Amino acid sequence: MSIKEKLMQDLKAAMKSHDKIKKDTITMVRAAIKQIEVDKRVDLSDEEVIDIISKQYKERVSSIDEFKRGGRDDLVAQTEEEIKIILEYLPKQLTDEELEDIIKEAIEKLSITEKKQIGELMKEVMPKVKGKADGKKVNSIASKYLN
């Protein structure tokens, strides 16, 4: 079953069970997918759908910081629920330990020694962790190993 089919199936289930947050979240994700399909006049693959869902995830994570600064605890709680729902459609996220192993391996492979070479490292690591880890997290872990 494709991710788009799973989203539709889960949307129907959320509507039947009157789960408003899940219904609204899935509707927003589907709208983002549909918008790109219409704009580009293509039918997106699962990989491209994961990219869109990943972007939705990142937007919500950054929104939480904004809501906390604004003292909007109600929106923080709602956004955290939306993030939990969105994570159901992304590949399992890598743990810090798994990321560290991938980064160490890339550092050894490319013989990277200085922090100014982090761009090379990111080019090597990001395709391997696409959809499974956030670029900021990869960068912060990589920075620990480079001086």
Side-chain angles (χ1 to χ4, degrees):
M1 175 186 309
S2 76
I3 295 174
K4 290 191 296 187
E5 290 169 346
K6 181 166 176 30
L7 282 164
M8 190 63 208
Q9 191 177 43
D10 290 351
L11 176 63
K12 289 177 184 175
M15 291 168 81
K16 286 179 184 174
S17 67
H18 303 287
D19 186 345
K20 183 173 174 19
I21 291 179
K22 188 165 189 165
K23 178 186 80 75
D24 292 348
T25 303
I26 293 172
T27 301
M28 283 188 275
V29 169
R30 290 188 70 240
I33 293 167
K34 194 71 175 166
Q35 181 67 47
I36 290 175
E37 286 183 332
V38 168
D39 289 350
K40 294 183 177 180
R41 292 178 166 78
V42 293
D43 193 26
L44 298 176
S45 68
D46 272 356
E47 189 174 305
E48 293 166 317
V49 170
I50 287 173
D51 288 343
I52 295 167
I53 295 172
S54 188
K55 188 174 183 181
Q56 295 281 317
Y57 168 77
K58 289 176 192 172
E59 287 173 4
R60 284 177 175 75
V61 169
S62 67
S63 295
I64 285 180
D65 295 334
E66 297 294 321
F67 294 147
K68 284 181 180 175
R69 274 185 258 148
R72 295 294 309 267
D73 294 334
D74 58 327
L75 293 177
V76 170
Q78 179 182 339
T79 306
E80 286 173 345
E81 280 298 312
E82 291 173 0
I83 287 172
K84 287 179 192 172
I85 294 165
I86 289 171
L87 283 173
E88 293 175 22
Y89 302 99
L90 289 174
K92 183 182 172 290
Q93 299 295 294
L94 294 172
T95 64
D96 287 351
E97 293 80 27
E98 292 169 324
L99 268 178
E100 285 178 13
D101 291 343
I102 292 169
I103 291 168
K104 285 179 198 174
E105 184 180 304
I107 288 172
E108 288 174 20
K109 178 182 174 188
L110 299 173
S111 302
I112 293 176
T113 56
E114 298 176 344
K115 193 166 189 148
K116 66 182 179 183
Q117 295 173 298
I118 201 160
E120 279 180 64
L121 179 64
M122 295 298 283
K123 282 181 191 172
E124 177 73 20
V125 173
M126 287 311 292
K128 293 179 183 175
V129 300
K130 188 174 187 174
K132 299 177 193 170
D134 182 45
K136 288 179 187 175
K137 193 175 194 180
V138 173
N139 194 317
S140 70
I141 292 173
S143 295
K144 287 194 298 189
Y145 290 101
L146 301 175
N147 295 329

